[in-house]
Amino acid sequence: ITTIDSGTYLTLYFYYPDMPHDAESIFIDRVYHRVYLLTKELEPILFRSSISLDYVRDRGEYEWQYVTKLKNISYPTDACITMDGLRLSILTYKALYEFPRVSDTSAIESFFNTPPTIIKLPELQFEAVTYLRRSTSRLLIPEGKFPPLYYIQ
């Protein structure tokens, strides 16, 4: 077991501009170094960190900035973006939504102005998704005591 010494990390406190929200999905736009948070609601709200990670030097309080409300995706459980920043996936209990990135645009402009590819999932409650090295391979895991790991190419 490895423990993290309190001197080796920074604690950043973010607050919502309106009210508390339930959120399980967080991802980083590796092009602009912004953190994004997606709330777990019927109509999820996407927030962006008020500061680029390039400029964080010490502990502090920051605001989540409202970006948009997603109309056709409900109760996301996870989100991830590929290392090259060219694809975003948003996972719900029953489907995986994948958005391609158009070059020379911000993550939000690209991802949410392009219709997603929707992958229907088995009748399980999916909780986590991640990309492997290649931007087309994903690992998904549902909730459960001994859940199987799903590999999608």
Side-chain angles (χ1 to χ4, degrees), residues 1 4 21-22 37 48 56 59 77 81 92 108 110 126 147:
I1 296 176
I4 298 173
H21 294 273
D22 179 18
L37 180 83
R48 176 181 54 225
V56 173
R59 300 166 198 252
T77 57
I81 194 167
T92 67
I108 301 314
S110 184
F126 279 83

Side-chain angles (χ1 to χ4, degrees), residues 67-147:
V67 176
T68 191
K69 189 176 273 195
L70 304 181
K71 301 287 185 191
N72 298 318
I73 298 174
S74 296
Y75 301 107
T77 57
D78 198 10
C80 66
I81 194 167
T82 56
M83 292 296 288
D84 60 11
L86 296 179
R87 185 174 296 166
L88 168 71
S89 283
I90 297 176
L91 180 67
T92 67
Y93 291 142
K94 304 295 179 195
L96 181 67
Y97 298 81
E98 295 192 322
F99 298 85
R101 184 180 206 144
V102 179
S103 57
D104 299 326
T105 61
S106 74
I108 301 314
E109 291 170 338
S110 184
F111 296 140
F112 299 109
N113 289 328
T114 307
T117 299
I118 302 171
I119 299 171
K120 297 288 184 187
L121 301 172
E123 292 296 317
L124 298 168
Q125 184 173 322
F126 279 83
E127 295 288 342
V129 61
T130 191
Y131 281 102
L132 301 177
R133 286 187 173 189
R134 295 189 328 255
S135 3
T136 56
S137 301
R138 290 82 80 207
L139 289 175
L140 300 128
I141 193 164
E143 193 170 70
K145 190 169 185 177
F146 300 106

Side-chain angles (χ1 to χ4, degrees), residues 33-44:
H33 304 139
R34 294 287 182 132
V35 179
Y36 287 87
L37 180 83
L38 188 57
T39 65
K40 188 177 180 182
E41 299 170 319
L42 179 61
E43 290 186 346

Side-chain angles (χ1 to χ4, degrees), residues 11-16 49-51 56 58-64:
T11 303
L12 307 175
Y13 296 95
F14 285 88
Y15 59 90
Y16 294 103
S49 61
S50 58
I51 186 169
V56 173
D58 54 20
R59 300 166 198 252
E61 289 188 8
Y62 305 95
E63 181 181 18
W64 288 116

